Amino acid sequence: AWGQGQLASTPVALARMAGAIANRGLMQPSRYVLRCGGKPVAMARGVSLTRQPEAADLLRDFMIEQSN
């Protein structure tokens, strides 16, 4: 995990958060099992992290600007 003191995060958690920003604030659940007993496992619904997708768009734009 990365972080200092009480704030710690795994690389997977950071990737999920970046993905949620790119997906207009919708965080997709982690998916570790694709099939169980040969049958596909349904994927859970994503969780909206904001009521304003425009806020996620703004944050995404800031992230793009900082990476250039």
Side-chain angles (χ1 to χ4, degrees):
W2 293 326
Q4 298 176 357
Q6 294 182 7
L7 177 62
S9 182
T10 64
V12 171
L14 293 173
R16 286 184 67 214
M17 182 58 68
I21 292 168
N23 201 20
R24 301 196 78 206
L26 184 66
M27 182 179 282
Q28 296 297 333
S30 296
R31 186 170 180 183
Y32 301 107
V33 178
L34 300 177
R35 293 183 178 274
C36 184
K39 296 181 181 177
V41 175
M43 187 165 178
R45 293 178 50 135
V47 176
S48 180
L49 301 179
T50 181
R51 292 183 184 158
Q52 299 172 336
E54 299 81 21
D57 291 341
L58 184 61
L59 186 53
R60 183 198 63 223
D61 293 343
F62 288 149
M63 291 175 70
I64 291 170
E65 283 181 30
Q66 292 302 311
S67 64
N68 288 332

